[in-house]
Amino acid sequence: MTWLTFLISGTLLAATPLLIAALGEVVVEKSGVLNLSIEGMMSVGAVTAFIVVFETGNHWLALAAGGVAAIVLSVVFACVVLFALGNQVVSGLAVGLLGIGIAGLAGGSYENMTVAPMARLQIPFLSELPVIGPGLFNHPLPVYLAPLLAVVLWWALKYSKVGLVVRAVGESPESANAVGYNVVGIRFLAIMFGGFLAGVSGAFLCVASSTLWADGMVAGRGWIVIALVVFAMWRVERVVIGAYLFGAASIAELLVQSAGISVPSQLMTSIPYIVTIVAVSILSMDGKRVRLNAPVSLGRVYLGTH
């Protein structure tokens, strides 16, 4: 395998969970809710998927189970911020820590165990192309479904009535309520959708990427997802680009090691997080542009009819 083949293949595998979770977070934030519990939802999805595939061997059932498990956690978050009117930042952090704790407890007896990886889909002819073929066209099916999901969400948010309603709720919940839309109900569904994708994202880590369970294996990816949404300025097409850029950064350690360059492993492991900080910091310099693109009611408690 050439270094270019490895770079392409590794980038796609590393970017897929980031892309899946970030797409869900875009929908949640477009509805006006800031969800900081992605790390916990991904962790719950990961451990649930690992247990399911370990016990049944069914990878697709594991992905679905991971998504459903994260929905349960998302419902807790939704109830706190939408009905109890809890602060979204504090509530998100608390629910995220709860999810991480649940994942550690549930996965204790499976620590460091492995499962068979999800089957790869070799696309005829294309996978046989030199260099780029094995890197682009020899992956588990979710790797190909993630960008398709991005296209569907881009279209839905921009052109469909559902997307218009979600964006209206995020921009002016009072106006949306005045014309008859149930703001709380719409945000509740948006949070559940984002939770499901976060759970599927975590599940992908266990059943298709690393194929093992270890406490803390999500390793901050949930925070990268949140930063990625800000970096993309809540635009789906930029989320896709950012996910693959961050995915490429996350495999830099392996590329450097394969090249025989002596660099402290701790430094290389931190590269994705350094890139995240730098990217968001540069973007934050243009604070006016960020504010113009952010949903107007993002993070605000809605005090309308419950």
Side-chain angles (χ1 to χ4, degrees):
M1 180 183 292
T2 68
W3 72 269
L4 182 56
T5 302
F6 177 80
L7 174 62
I8 295 172
S9 179
T11 296
L12 290 178
L13 279 174
T16 296
L18 298 178
L19 177 56
I20 294 172
L23 291 174
E25 181 66 7
V26 166
V27 173
V28 176
E29 295 194 17
K30 281 285 190 181
S31 75
V33 177
L34 178 62
N35 181 11
L36 298 183
S37 61
I38 300 297
E39 182 86 2
M41 293 180 183
M42 290 179 68
S43 298
V44 167
V47 71
T48 302
F50 183 86
I51 293 172
V52 170
V53 78
F54 187 88
E55 300 296 342
T56 69
N58 190 321
H59 292 82
W60 288 102
L61 179 61
L63 287 174
V68 171
I71 284 179
V72 175
L73 196 62
S74 74
V75 168
V76 174
F77 172 72
C79 288
V80 172
V81 299
L82 298 179
F83 297 109
L85 304 181
N87 179 279
Q88 293 180 12
V89 173
V90 176
S91 301
L93 293 174
V95 173
L97 290 173
L98 173 64
I100 294 171
I102 291 174
L105 179 63
S109 58
Y110 295 89
E111 190 76 22
N112 296 322
M113 292 185 179
T114 60
V115 294
M118 194 173 196
R120 291 173 177 261
L121 175 63
Q122 285 190 325
I123 300 179
F125 178 70
L126 293 177
S127 62
E128 299 172 6
L129 294 173
V131 184
I132 64 171
L136 283 176
F137 306 110
N138 184 23
H139 291 285
L141 186 56
V143 172
Y144 308 112
L145 294 179
L148 291 178
L149 174 63
V151 172
V152 172
L153 278 180
W154 170 82
W155 179 88
L157 287 172
K158 194 167 186 178
Y159 296 109
S160 73
K161 181 179 179 180
V162 172
L164 176 63
V165 171
V166 169
R167 289 188 288 119
V169 166
E171 294 296 327
S172 179
E174 292 81 10
S175 298
N177 180 70
V179 296
Y181 291 114
N182 185 334
V183 173
V184 173
I186 292 167
R187 288 184 170 182
F188 199 100
L189 291 175
I191 292 171
M192 289 179 65
F193 178 78
F196 176 78
L197 289 189
V200 171
S201 168
F204 181 87
L205 288 173
C206 277
V207 305
S209 183
S210 62
T211 67
L212 63 81
W213 168 254
D215 190 19
M217 68 170 296
V218 175
R221 289 179 179 86
W223 298 108
I224 292 179
V225 165
I226 295 169
L228 175 57
V229 173
V230 178
F231 169 78
M233 291 193 293
W234 298 272
R235 293 169 55 182
V236 172
E237 63 274 21
R238 290 187 57 156
V239 166
V240 175
I241 296 171
Y244 289 112
L245 288 176
F246 286 115
S250 68
I251 65 166
E253 176 185 4
L254 298 177
L255 281 175
V256 170
Q257 288 177 351
S258 65
I261 302 174
S262 179
V263 179
S265 61
Q266 295 84 353
L267 175 62
M268 299 308 302
T269 302
S270 68
I271 283 181
Y273 310 101
I274 294 174
V275 171
T276 301
I277 294 171
V278 171
V280 174
S281 297
I282 292 174
L283 185 62
S284 298
M285 293 178 183
D286 190 359
K288 182 178 180 180
R289 187 179 179 189
V290 174
R291 288 193 298 273
L292 288 174
N293 282 277
V296 175
S297 68
L298 181 63
R300 281 173 35 200
V301 174
Y302 174 63
L303 299 175
T305 304
H306 289 265

